Amino acid sequence: MKISEARQQFISTWGAMGTHRGINRTMAQVHALLMISPDPLTQDDIMAQLNISRGNVNMNIRDLIDWGLVDRVLIPGERKEYFTAEKDIWKVATQIIKERKKRELDPMMKLMDQLSKVEGDKRDKEVKTFLDTINGIKKFGAHADDMLDVLVKSDESWFLSTALKLFK
Amino acid sequence: MKISEARQQFISTWGAMGTHRGINRTMAQVHALLMISPDPLTQDDIMAQLNISRGNVNMNIRDLIDWGLVDRVLIPGERKEYFTAEKDIWKVATQIIKERKKRELDPMMKLMDQLSKVEGDKRDKEVKTFLDTINGIKKFGAHADDMLDVLVKSDESWFLSTALKLFK
DNA sequence: ATTATTTTTCAGTAATTTTTGAAAATTCGA
DNA sequence: TCGAATTTTCAAAAATTACTGAAAAATAAT
């Protein structure tokens, strides 16, 4: 397989994967393109390579920057802005996890705290089932938090990496 | 907060959360409703409680069954089918993880294996960057696999749960 | 201060995804 | 076997989400 074909395939698959995970196709593709680009790219480069409009590139780049996955790069003597993506996939993953935790897990847990204060008789099975579910989610959330920390740290830890395999 | 309001809130939030994770709103809502329902429900119950059409309920229930999150329940002497969801959130989480691994991670890793066979000179920086990214993802995939196994097993392991906190 | 370049915004349009509802198929009891 | 109850399908409609492109805003050189 030729490099140009392989790159195209990667971008397209990474984009499709994104849609399964609640990320829009173009954003994932821009990210993919930057991950496999040796040098920073301009908005025009991205427009050309992915065949999308200027506005589209601009909006998705901004979102990627908000997610902490892409950085602006200033090249001395150049008027245009350049963009680059973190290429260490571990850092990419941990960054995504941190953001998802902040944007999704934390607010969800806050809601669970509220909902667990629901009034009503626990002998009412509707109330009991509700509380059991809510409290289960709260416990899970706390544990997931621990797991995420481990994942974030585990690329630095050979020991943990090996230890994990023991539990397989 | 009253139980009816709390239930409504839970369903609605679980649905919104679903959309952030690539799951359609209604599917997540049906799942939420079943998780907090003490007894199995019929399609008509779900239609009524969520105010959605019969076809919609039917399709989403089928998807939930495919994901292994909802089961058909036969009630002796009853003509209609009843549905119920696993209420142990750990089992829900591990089931989702298993499915996502099967549907997303495994095919992705297979593709990476293919792409890592790209032809070209590694001294070409375009080729080098591409291969570095692909190989990074392969390594990550293997590690993630281990992590997922740990998560799947960790609810049975007090020891691990405690050990995880050490890495915080 | 003026002008050329580049970035950002956003209303309108396009594409995609989800939902409906009625018809077809299936199931089960009599 | 027939008919009522129930489930499933799917074409059309609705809703949502994403994209375009041109105008406005911002930036920086002269």
Side-chain angles (χ1 to χ4, degrees):
Chain A
M1 187 185 279
K2 295 235 183 319
I3 180 70
S4 58
E5 190 192 341
R7 282 168 53 99
Q8 201 44 59
Q9 172 87 271
F10 176 71
I11 290 168
S12 145
T13 305
W14 200 256
M17 186 76 29
T19 59
H20 289 296
R21 324 202 95 269
I23 292 158
N24 91 45
R25 188 184 316 277
T26 303
M27 184 157 103
Q29 287 185 352
V30 172
H31 186 221
L33 171 62
L34 289 172
M35 280 198 297
I36 59 175
S37 295
D39 302 306
L41 302 181
T42 64
Q43 294 200 22
D44 291 274
D45 294 334
I46 297 169
M47 286 171 65
Q49 295 211 38
L50 301 180
N51 247 291
I52 57 180
S53 72
R54 183 176 304 285
N56 198 6
V57 170
N58 192 275
M59 286 164 106
N60 285 114
I61 280 280
R62 188 148 70 72
D63 279 352
L64 284 164
I65 291 173
D66 286 346
W67 273 86
L69 298 173
V70 164
D71 287 321
R72 283 191 164 78
V73 175
L74 293 176
I75 294 191
E78 289 273 4
R79 178 75 183 273
K80 287 190 176 181
E81 289 183 321
Y82 284 75
F83 300 95
T84 188
E86 172 59 56
K87 289 184 180 52
D88 179 337
I89 197 76
W90 274 101
K91 291 189 184 153
V92 172
T94 56
Q95 181 60 30
I96 291 172
I97 287 167
K98 277 186 208 158
E99 282 293 318
R100 288 216 119 132
K101 169 168 151 47
K102 187 169 78 189
R103 297 178 187 206
E104 293 164 27
L105 186 64
D106 292 350
M108 173 61 76
M109 289 308 128
K110 223 168 152 190
L111 177 69
M112 293 303 120
D113 283 342
Q114 297 221 314
L115 295 182
S116 66
K117 283 184 266 168
V118 67
E119 61 201 51
D121 186 343
K122 284 189 190 173
R123 282 164 305 180
D124 174 349
K125 71 180 174 182
E126 191 182 52
V127 174
K128 182 171 190 319
T129 304
F130 183 77
L131 284 175
D132 286 351
T133 301
I134 298 305
N135 289 323
I137 293 171
K138 282 171 73 171
K139 280 209 199 85
F140 179 81
H143 200 115
D145 240 24
D146 296 341
M147 289 292 296
L148 297 185
D149 276 315
V150 173
L151 182 59
V152 167
K153 302 216 172 118
S154 65
D155 77 301
E156 297 152 9
S157 164
W158 165 85
F159 166 72
L160 180 59
S161 165
T162 307
L164 287 178
K165 296 209 168 105
L166 295 177
F167 288 96
K168 270 198 115 161
Chain B
M1 188 185 279
K2 295 236 183 318
I3 180 69
S4 57
E5 191 193 341
R7 282 168 53 100
Q8 201 45 58
Q9 172 87 272
F10 177 71
I11 290 169
S12 147
T13 304
W14 201 255
M17 184 77 28
T19 59
H20 288 296
R21 323 202 101 267
I23 292 158
N24 93 43
R25 190 186 312 280
T26 303
M27 185 158 102
Q29 288 186 348
V30 171
H31 185 221
L33 172 62
L34 288 172
M35 281 199 295
I36 58 175
S37 296
D39 304 305
L41 303 180
T42 63
Q43 293 199 164
D44 291 273
D45 293 333
I46 297 168
M47 287 170 67
Q49 294 211 39
L50 300 181
N51 248 291
I52 56 180
S53 72
R54 182 176 304 287
N56 199 3
V57 170
N58 191 275
M59 288 167 112
N60 285 114
I61 281 281
R62 185 148 72 71
D63 280 352
L64 283 164
I65 291 173
D66 286 347
W67 274 85
L69 297 173
V70 164
D71 288 320
R72 285 194 161 76
V73 174
L74 293 175
I75 294 193
E78 289 272 7
R79 179 74 183 275
K80 287 188 173 179
E81 289 182 321
Y82 284 75
F83 300 94
T84 187
E86 172 61 55
K87 288 182 182 50
D88 180 337
I89 197 75
W90 276 99
K91 292 189 183 154
V92 172
T94 57
Q95 181 60 32
I96 291 172
I97 287 167
K98 277 186 208 159
E99 283 292 318
R100 288 216 120 133
K101 170 169 150 47
K102 188 169 76 190
R103 297 178 187 207
E104 294 164 27
L105 186 63
D106 292 351
M108 173 62 76
M109 289 308 128
K110 224 169 149 189
L111 177 70
M112 294 303 120
D113 283 342
Q114 297 221 317
L115 295 183
S116 65
K117 283 183 268 169
V118 67
E119 60 200 52
D121 186 344
K122 284 190 191 174
R123 282 164 306 180
D124 175 348
K125 70 180 173 180
E126 190 181 52
V127 173
K128 182 171 189 322
T129 304
F130 184 78
L131 283 175
D132 286 350
T133 302
I134 298 304
N135 289 324
I137 292 172
K138 282 171 73 171
K139 281 209 199 85
F140 178 81
H143 200 117
D145 240 25
D146 296 342
M147 287 294 295
L148 297 185
D149 275 315
V150 173
L151 182 59
V152 167
K153 303 222 170 109
S154 66
D155 76 302
E156 296 152 7
S157 165
W158 164 85
F159 167 72
L160 180 59
S161 165
T162 305
L164 288 179
K165 296 209 168 103
L166 295 176
F167 288 96
K168 268 197 118 159

